[in-house]
């Protein structure tokens, strides 16, 4: 349950509505098994709810990954200078490192912490123009945009089939250029609360609410979870509006094949005024994509796995505005063509012997 809120972004464009509508179809399907009934009316005789499904993969506590998309066209419309720029994207590369660790472990309450680092670069086909005297796309060529995050996850199970899950997080995102701007000018934050119920060992549902503040723009939206085991090897995880994943696990539990559709995004503050011609001060660049991918995970050792993914990326939104809280005006729109996307990484999980002890 811990990754539920990670990567959530506020998407309200028309081209995502069909995606969400398709996701909600899964909620009308009845569960495979009847609801779990209390063995005793006395609450003291019950055990605490365990939110996870039976036969779920072991949780990741450290992950290194690189995601790349290649060879597609980009177009930027600068409303400040009333100009248009077209470029060929050679690659868009994103490196991520994530660590999760326990803070408090108890049958009636669990708390975990998480920290993360990311860096992202765009490389464009070279032309005769030089950086600094062209448009936005030319000026972000080979620029490194970074992110540093910290999160806390908490789960409160009850002596029934119900539980609460909460998450709060902060993230610093931008070019971190040497200017007089304070570090907190790069700050974003988000929070969420989910109420869930476990009808059986193979069926979990939940609903809640999440909120975020991205450089002065506050948003609030509903969240849903639907997790279901069709068999001991095939399962579905719908974490809306973030992702839908269908997973197949081999009999030895050392190979996982899955298909996933997920929304991901980034928000960067750029303090270099020369990056966007015509801009008056710092700018905020917002991106949102939908990735549809096939993935494969393989156990290398009891605690070490690798992952490979390949699929298609569709951009939903890419725009620039000023960072002021009331800055609703879009000063640049980017359009990115559909592209192939690839991901490779390794991750660490708790050893089986350690989990069996608990």
């Amino acid at each position: 349950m811990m990754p539920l809120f990670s990567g959530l972004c506020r998407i309200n464009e028309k081209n995502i509505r069909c995606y969400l509508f398709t996701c909600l179809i899964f909620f009308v399907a009845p569960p495979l098994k009847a609801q779990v009934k209390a063995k005793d009316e006395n609450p003291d005789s019950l055990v605490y709810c365990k939110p996870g499904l039976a036969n779920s993969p072991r949780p990741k506590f450290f992950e290194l990954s690189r995601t790349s998309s290649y060879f597609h066209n980009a177009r930027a419309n600068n409303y400040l200078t009333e100009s248009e720029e077209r470029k060929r994207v050679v690659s868009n590369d994103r490196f991520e490192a994530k660590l999760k660790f326990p803070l408090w472990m108890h049958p009636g309450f669990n708390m975990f912490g998480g920290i993360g680092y990311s860096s992202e670069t765009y490389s464009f086909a070279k032309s005769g123009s030089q950086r600094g005297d062209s448009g936005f796309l030319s000026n972000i060529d080979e620029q490194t945009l970074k992110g540093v995050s910290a999160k806390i996850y908490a789960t409160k199970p009850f002596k029934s089939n119900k539980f609460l899950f909460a998450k709060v997080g902060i993230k610093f995102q931008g070019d971190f250029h040497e200017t007089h701007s304070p570090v907190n000018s790069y700050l974003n934050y988000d929070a969420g609360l989910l109420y869930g119920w476990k009808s059986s060992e193979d069926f979990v549902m939940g609903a809640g609410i999440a909120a975020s503040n991205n450089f002065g723009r506050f948003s609030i939206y509903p969240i849903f979870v639907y997790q279901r085991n069709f068999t001991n090897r095939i399962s579905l995880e719908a974490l809306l509006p973030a992702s839908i994943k269908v997973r197949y696990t081999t009999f030895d539990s050392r190979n996982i094949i899955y298909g996933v559709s997920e929304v991901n995004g980034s928000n960067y503050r750029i303090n270099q005024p020369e990056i966007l011609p015509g801009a008056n001060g710092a700018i905020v660049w917002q991106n949102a994509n939908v990735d549809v991918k096939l993935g494969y995970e393989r156990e290398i050792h009891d605690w070490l796995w690798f992952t490979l993914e390949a699929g298609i990326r569709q951009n939903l939104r890419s725009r620039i505005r000023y960072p002021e809280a009331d800055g609703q005006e879009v000063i640049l729109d980017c359009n990115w063509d559909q592209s192939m996307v690839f991901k490779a990484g390794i991750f660490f999980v708790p050893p089986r012997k350690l989990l069996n002890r608990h």
Side-chain angles (χ1 to χ4, degrees):
M1 299 299 298
M2 291 188 295
L4 174 60
F5 302 109
S6 63
L8 285 181
C9 56
R10 184 174 181 259
I11 305 296
N12 55 14
E13 284 76 0
K14 292 182 179 179
N15 54 358
I16 194 59
R17 292 177 181 172
C18 291
Y19 171 79
L20 293 177
F21 178 76
T22 304
C23 298
L24 291 173
I25 293 176
F26 291 105
F27 283 85
V28 303
L32 291 178
K33 296 184 178 181
Q35 289 190 352
V36 176
K37 295 182 180 180
K39 297 180 181 179
D40 197 311
E41 294 183 357
N42 181 7
D44 292 336
S45 67
L46 302 177
V47 296
Y48 287 104
C49 175
K50 295 182 179 180
L53 296 181
N55 303 317
S56 294
R58 286 173 285 172
K60 303 173 183 179
F61 69 85
F62 182 64
E63 182 177 7
L64 295 171
S65 65
R66 182 185 179 93
T67 305
S68 301
S69 61
Y70 300 100
F71 303 113
H72 55 284
N73 296 318
R75 184 177 72 254
N77 295 304
N78 188 337
Y79 301 122
L80 298 175
T81 60
E82 297 183 353
S83 61
E84 182 183 87
E85 182 185 19
R86 296 174 182 266
K87 299 287 286 186
R88 178 70 171 171
V89 181
V90 176
S91 67
N92 169 213
D93 301 310
R94 182 181 178 89
F95 169 81
E96 289 186 279
K98 300 176 183 178
L99 174 66
K100 293 178 181 176
F101 47 89
L103 296 174
W104 180 265
M105 299 290 290
H106 187 273
F109 184 76
N110 294 326
M111 182 179 290
F112 284 77
I115 56 176
Y117 170 82
S118 67
S119 65
E120 186 170 8
T121 58
Y122 289 80
S123 299
F124 297 91
K126 304 305 184 226
S127 62
S129 59
Q130 300 295 319
R131 268 191 76 241
D133 60 0
S134 189
F136 172 74
L137 298 179
S138 296
N139 291 338
I140 65 166
D141 185 25
E142 304 297 343
Q143 291 280 310
T144 301
L145 301 171
K146 301 176 183 180
V148 179
S149 63
K151 300 173 183 176
I152 293 178
Y153 311 87
T155 304
K156 171 55 184 173
F158 300 102
K159 288 188 175 181
S160 64
N161 65 336
K162 309 295 193 303
F163 63 91
L164 283 174
F165 178 82
K167 175 254 182 182
V168 293
I170 61 172
K171 182 178 287 188
F172 298 87
Q173 294 178 292
D175 59 351
F176 295 94
H177 186 63
E178 295 181 0
T179 66
H180 297 295
S181 298
V183 174
N184 61 10
S185 66
Y186 296 98
L187 174 64
N188 292 326
Y189 57 86
D190 60 272
L193 180 66
L194 177 84
Y195 178 75
W197 53 97
K198 186 175 182 178
S199 298
S200 73
E201 288 300 313
D202 295 314
F203 182 62
V204 175
M205 288 187 68
I209 195 167
S212 65
N213 188 303
N214 292 314
F215 299 110
R217 175 167 291 184
F218 181 80
S219 59
I220 187 168
Y221 43 89
I223 51 177
F224 305 94
V225 59
Y226 182 98
Q227 298 182 325
R228 178 175 173 179
N229 284 337
F230 294 98
T231 70
N232 289 338
R233 302 300 168 190
I234 301 175
S235 61
L236 166 72
E237 293 183 359
L239 311 176
L240 304 176
S243 69
I244 294 179
K245 177 184 284 188
V246 178
R247 182 176 59 240
Y248 172 78
T249 305
T250 57
F251 287 97
D252 60 5
S253 300
R254 294 181 177 179
N255 298 271
I256 299 175
I257 302 170
Y258 58 90
V260 60
S261 176
E262 60 184 3
V263 179
N264 56 72
S266 58
N267 296 275
Y268 295 115
R269 179 185 173 109
I270 300 176
N271 278 337
Q272 303 174 69
E274 68 275 10
I275 292 293
L276 178 61
N280 182 21
I283 56 175
V284 170
W285 186 18
Q286 299 174 307
N287 286 293
N289 305 300
V290 168
D291 292 349
V292 180
K293 299 176 291 186
L294 289 175
Y296 174 67
E297 294 178 351
R298 167 70 181 179
E299 180 183 300
I300 303 173
H301 192 63
D302 183 36
W303 44 268
L304 178 62
W305 290 61
F306 77 85
T307 180
L308 296 173
E309 294 181 353
I312 296 174
R313 169 168 292 176
Q314 176 64 55
N315 181 248
L316 298 176
R317 180 189 65 197
S318 183
R319 63 193 183 192
I320 290 178
R321 62 178 178 86
Y322 289 119
E324 292 81 8
D326 58 350
Q328 304 297 319
E329 180 185 4
V330 176
I331 57 179
L332 183 140
D333 259 325
C334 286
N335 294 290
W336 310 85
D337 285 353
Q338 191 178 88
S339 64
M340 296 295 294
V341 61
F342 303 92
K343 178 180 177 180
I346 59 172
F347 59 89
F348 297 81
V349 299
R352 290 186 178 88
K353 291 183 179 179
L354 179 62
L355 289 180
N356 292 336
R357 293 175 185 173
H358 299 277

